Amino acid sequence: MDHNGLADPYVKLHLLPGASKANKLRTKTLRNTLNPTWNETLTYYGITDEDMIRKTLRISVCDEDKFRHNEFIGETRIPLKKLKPNQTKTFSICLEKQLPIDKTEDKSLEERGRILISLKYSSQKQGLLVGIIRCAHLAAMDANGYSDPYVKTYLKPDEDKKSKHKTAVKKKTLNPEFNEEFCYEIKHGDLAKKTLEVTVWDYDIGKSNDFIGGVVLGINAKGERLKHWFDCLKNKDKKIERWHTLTNELPGAILSD
């Protein structure tokens, strides 16, 4: 790609369908070579069984240019369903020219990222312990292509707004690690009437914070969100961790901070 007959290649990954900026991973750039060896491991956190059936990994090789746009060299795609759990599979694939992105993939832009939450009802503390562990491939809210995320939790209904907890803000990242735990003192029997609202925000100085996405766990939730809540109610004193997909809709949420 360069005048000297060489290139400065790097590899970037996207998971499709998905908001591509939020789930892009990339290797470092190697200078002046047409036969690069990276030996790098890039990790996607929060991959569910459904992703393994539905998603495809897009692998693009590009040439980094200091003064112009980076140039596309070639790409290939691997459906995740070709992989088996805990087995390493090696592919040797010819790169192709840019493949069209299927228009039906746009629907998935509603995916705002993932969050790993742990729940435990502690009989010793007589309360619900909510662990906000980490988020993965959050939607980017800032011009630099990142966000400054933090997480808020509420246990609702909550008449006097006493149940709000907030994590620290993590600067300039789409894959923040929080590892914070909050305790809600509540009788085990009352939990069935409550819902846990978890929202992820992008912190902005001098203007209102941007809503990235949220998830509601409780008896009226569905699927994984209901199962997580139910498993927590059923197994006292056992910590249960699950990844949840953030969406940009929250029933009745007040979208202000």
Side-chain angles (χ1 to χ4, degrees):
M1 293 307 217
D2 296 342
H3 296 315
N4 60 7
L6 298 169
D8 302 316
Y10 65 94
V11 178
K12 60 180 182 180
L13 308 181
H14 294 106
L15 275 181
L16 303 175
S20 61
K21 239 189 182 154
N23 72 51
K24 182 175 89 172
L25 295 178
R26 65 161 281 177
T27 65
K28 56 182 182 286
T29 302
L30 298 180
R31 303 274 164 212
N32 293 329
T33 174
L34 300 179
N35 297 290
T37 303
W38 280 279
N39 289 327
E40 278 187 61
T41 301
L42 304 177
T43 304
Y44 278 108
Y45 295 97
I47 298 298
T48 61
D49 294 344
E50 191 196 354
D51 292 332
M52 294 305 293
I53 298 161
R54 200 168 68 93
K55 296 211 178 214
T56 292
L57 182 65
R58 176 187 183 201
I59 302 169
S60 335
V61 183
C62 301
D63 169 51
E64 189 176 288
D65 254 325
K66 278 210 173 69
F67 306 108
R68 300 185 307 222
H69 278 307
N70 295 341
E71 289 177 287
F72 175 81
I73 297 176
E75 70 165 64
T76 184
R77 298 189 183 190
I78 298 170
L80 297 189
K81 55 175 180 276
K82 287 193 171 176
L83 307 176
K84 291 194 176 69
N86 302 318
Q87 283 185 16
T88 301
K89 191 162 179 180
T90 306
F91 296 86
S92 179
I93 314 177
C94 289
L95 293 173
E96 302 177 58
K97 62 181 190 295
Q98 211 141 6
L99 297 165
I101 287 197
D102 183 358
K103 279 290 164 262
T104 57
E105 286 174 2
D106 290 350
K107 286 195 204 73
S108 65
L109 294 178
E110 293 311 292
E111 260 190 37
R112 314 287 288 176
R114 303 285 162 94
I115 186 165
L116 181 59
I117 299 172
S118 71
L119 297 177
K120 175 170 112 170
Y121 187 81
S122 159
S123 10
Q124 186 196 353
K125 292 192 174 162
Q126 291 285 299
L128 176 68
L129 300 179
V130 177
I132 302 299
I133 300 165
R134 69 188 308 155
C135 295
H137 33 274
L138 293 175
M141 291 292 168
D142 295 340
N144 61 9
Y146 292 100
S147 292
D148 301 316
Y150 67 94
V151 180
K152 281 195 307 186
T153 66
Y154 283 102
L155 198 59
K156 296 194 164 179
D158 171 27
E159 304 318 323
D160 41 12
K161 292 275 187 295
K162 279 201 177 131
S163 77
K164 178 163 108 172
H165 284 294
K166 256 169 135 161
T167 67
V169 174
K170 301 290 175 186
K171 291 283 180 204
K172 207 180 162 196
T173 174
L174 301 178
N175 296 288
E177 272 190 68
F178 296 101
N179 294 321
E180 292 191 42
E181 194 170 67
F182 307 123
C183 181
Y184 289 105
E185 281 180 29
I186 183 170
K187 292 196 192 79
H188 184 263
D190 293 342
L191 268 183
K193 301 186 218 107
K194 294 281 191 182
T195 57
L196 178 71
E197 184 181 284
V198 180
T199 50
V200 185
W201 298 78
D202 167 49
Y203 176 75
D204 277 322
I205 295 171
K207 53 184 188 154
S208 58
N209 298 328
D210 298 313
F211 175 68
I212 297 178
V215 62
V216 176
L217 308 177
I219 218 81
N220 297 318
K222 293 190 170 62
E224 286 288 303
R225 302 186 301 284
L226 173 64
K227 190 171 184 318
H228 194 180
W229 190 251
F230 196 64
D231 285 350
C232 165
L233 296 187
K234 214 168 51 188
N235 299 287
K236 267 191 187 174
D237 297 311
K238 184 177 174 199
K239 183 184 277 196
I240 295 160
E241 280 186 15
R242 274 235 174 89
W243 283 98
H244 296 284
T245 300
L246 296 168
T247 61
N248 55 4
E249 285 176 279
L250 271 186
I254 301 147
L255 292 188
S256 67
D257 190 30

